[in-house]
Amino acid sequence: MQTKQTSGDPSSSPSVNSPESGVRPVSTDALDEVTDRQSAAGKTIGVSSPTRPADLSTQCVHAGERRQKDSGSISTPIYSAATFTFESTDDLMRFVNGEEQREEYGRYGNPNERSVEAKIAALEKCEEAIVYGSGMAAIVGLLMTKLSAGDEIVFFDQCYHRSREFCAKHLSRFGVITRQVTTGDFDAMEAAINDNTRMLVSESPTNPHLSVIDLERFAAVGNANEVETLSDATLATPYNLNPTEYGVDYVLHSATKYLGGHNDLIAGVICGRSEQLESVRNMRGILGNISTPHNLYLLERGMKTFELRMQRQNENGLAIARFLESHPRVDRVYYPGLESHPTHAIAAAQMRGFGGLITFTIRDADWKQTADVVDAARIPRIAPSLGGVESLIEQPLVMSYFHCTPEDRKRFGIDDNMIRMSCGIENSEDLIADLDQALSV
């Protein structure tokens, strides 16, 4: 549990720094603290000047990386090593006694992993980040570390369906009870907490309804009840939101999405305070749910353009959401940047932009007529996932909930006429023209 930190934005230009602009305010949080700590551990060097903290774009390119790498390489080499050798027993003893920070065995760490983790920690303004083989591996790793038989966990009901499935169907086999309450209903969350509750879980924004959670209140509920809090911020990204600034204990990302940004890798990450994550890292070393050196190389490379991509995806998301909201064939648009969204006020207060994911419903259409619209789109590809440079489109009923009962789909808010679109970095006018022709079928 944490107390809220004050973030603040010193910029005086609302036209540039408002969420609607798609441009993130200049960061004033000291990257120096993160990089200096990691430098002391032999992991990286600072990238800030003594007088000015580094902006997000500079962090994306340089944070977590040594200035001078092996053989003078400007990019971090790929360390495809299962094990790491010691020069002598004295060398080994320095490592065993904690006098030297280095790698020993690939399941416990890798230079690519350390570099990526330091970069993500800097972007999330956290002390530490732990990278996993996928987003699901990350949340499973955290929950398996923190929960024991007899413990309870409370979820908001708008959540990734695989997270729900793991907790309800698999954690229950180990004696952990999962309780779900209506998203954003903090009175219901408070009522669900008891002496056995160990974790509160939220997504913000949620998938696919894009509801934004009041994270300050979410963290306050956890603090008041001495229960740890986890926020899945995959859809927000560190560009638009840093949950730990509001007192949240752990931040989860599917790094497959916006952080990687190119639909070419699978990875996940948990961020938080080092003290709280020590046992989580130890458990990952036991379970072995790590990423691969090549994946980590791709993730580090992808994050170098993270800020540039998010600027375009924020802009595309808002422009396309506004177009869809005005289209006569569209019944409803779920996008937190629109004033019509139920949680727009919360989003506008705590987010710096609203991302590239949009969900909308087709007016007076059944599931097949809705599928015709999806099929008619020429630029977006039909696929699951989100956050990459290519726009993707799908029908949640078919892609993710086809085998659910109609009752469960209704309970989860999955309508037959619902479409989800992840906006890439293509020209927004091209995307809008393509959607316009698809909606005319």
Side-chain angles (χ1 to χ4, degrees), residues 201-399:
V201 181
S202 76
E203 293 182 14
S204 189
T206 64
N207 181 10
H209 297 92
L210 286 303
S211 298
V212 178
I213 304 302
D214 183 339
L215 292 179
E216 185 170 4
R217 189 171 178 187
F218 175 66
V221 171
N223 286 329
N225 292 277
E226 298 183 345
V227 177
E228 291 187 322
T229 50
L230 165 66
S231 179
D232 183 339
T234 298
L235 302 192
T237 81
Y239 183 91
N240 291 323
L241 178 68
N242 297 113
T244 56
E245 290 189 324
Y246 295 88
V248 174
D249 291 296
Y250 305 105
V251 181
L252 167 69
H253 287 282
S254 171
T256 309
K257 312 303 193 295
Y258 289 105
L259 291 179
H262 291 79
N263 292 316
D264 57 2
L265 64 94
I266 302 289
V269 63
I270 292 286
C271 306
R273 295 205 302 269
S274 297
E275 181 181 3
Q276 290 175 296
L277 289 178
E278 182 177 2
S279 60
V280 181
R281 186 176 293 279
N282 290 339
M283 178 63 83
R284 190 197 62 172
I286 295 170
L287 296 178
N289 42 5
I290 59 173
S291 192
T292 66
H294 188 260
N295 251 14
L296 293 163
Y297 167 81
L298 290 174
L299 180 53
E300 183 174 284
R301 186 181 66 171
M303 285 192 293
K304 290 179 182 289
T305 60
F306 171 67
E307 185 193 45
L308 301 176
R309 290 185 283 103
M310 285 308 305
Q311 288 177 2
R312 173 59 69 90
Q313 287 171 299
N314 275 351
E315 293 166 359
N316 282 355
L318 186 59
I320 292 167
R322 285 173 169 165
F323 160 75
L324 290 169
E325 189 174 46
S326 68
H327 199 284
R329 273 211 78 191
V330 174
D331 187 48
R332 182 173 184 179
V333 180
Y334 297 87
Y335 186 75
L338 297 177
E339 292 183 0
S340 58
H341 195 282
T343 62
H344 172 72
I346 299 173
Q350 70 183 21
M351 296 183 72
R352 297 176 286 259
F354 307 108
L357 192 69
I358 306 166
T359 301
F360 58 101
T361 56
I362 305 301
R363 190 181 306 277
D364 300 325
D366 59 22
W367 82 268
K368 187 60 176 69
Q369 291 167 321
T370 304
D372 290 340
V373 175
V374 172
D375 291 343
R378 299 291 83 188
I379 297 176
R381 309 293 181 87
I382 301 175
S385 199
L386 58 101
V389 294
E390 300 93 354
S391 291
L392 303 177
I393 194 167
E394 54 135 306
Q395 198 172 351
L397 164 69
V398 180
M399 186 67 73

Side-chain angles (χ1 to χ4, degrees), residues 400-415:
S400 302
Y401 293 89
F402 190 77
H403 296 291
C404 292
T405 65
E407 293 75 20
D408 280 345
R409 289 199 294 268
K410 183 177 181 180
R411 181 160 58 92
F412 300 148
I414 305 301
D415 299 321

Side-chain angles (χ1 to χ4, degrees), residues 14 41 45 75 82 109 114 122 130 153 160 183 188 191-192 262 311 366 395 402 410 422 427 439:
I45 62 169
S75 60
R114 302 303 184 192
I130 305 176
I153 181 173
Y160 179 49
T183 297
H262 291 79
Q311 288 177 2
D366 59 22
Q395 198 172 351
F402 190 77
K410 183 177 181 180
S422 171
N427 181 278
L439 289 164

